[in-house]
Amino acid sequence: MTGIIGSFKVFDIINVMTQGGPGTATTMLAYDVYRSGFIFYKMGYASSVAWILMIIVALITLFQWWGQRKIVVEY
């Protein structure tokens, strides 16, 4: 679960190494939030994308909790 959530937070590697380039080939959702909000000054868009990212991570977390409950066998 933490590995999947961690993959959504990939920001520092993209920012340091490629800045989302070439073109937008290495742009991830977290880097797009940063770029939209602090480079292009579209704070409303960046805020809405951040909320969507939070909802996606919450849904994945709930789905995995639900799936783990089915696997555990109690005696």
Side-chain angles (χ1 to χ4, degrees):
M1 186 174 349
T2 57
I4 292 173
I5 293 171
S7 68
F8 282 107
K9 298 187 304 180
V10 177
F11 170 77
D12 52 349
I13 296 170
I14 293 172
N15 191 28
V16 170
M17 293 184 72
T18 64
Q19 287 85 30
T24 57
T26 59
T27 299
M28 298 292 287
L29 198 55
Y31 187 73
D32 188 43
V33 169
Y34 165 75
R35 195 176 60 160
S36 297
F38 296 111
I39 294 176
F40 298 125
Y41 300 111
K42 296 180 181 179
M43 293 294 178
Y45 175 77
S47 177
S48 64
V49 172
W51 273 100
I52 291 171
L53 177 63
M54 184 195 72
I55 291 169
I56 290 170
V57 169
L59 288 175
I60 290 172
T61 302
L62 290 174
F63 180 72
Q64 285 187 341
W65 278 347
W66 179 74
Q68 284 178 340
R69 199 167 26 115
K70 301 282 184 186
I71 295 172
V72 176
V73 178
E74 296 182 23
Y75 293 101

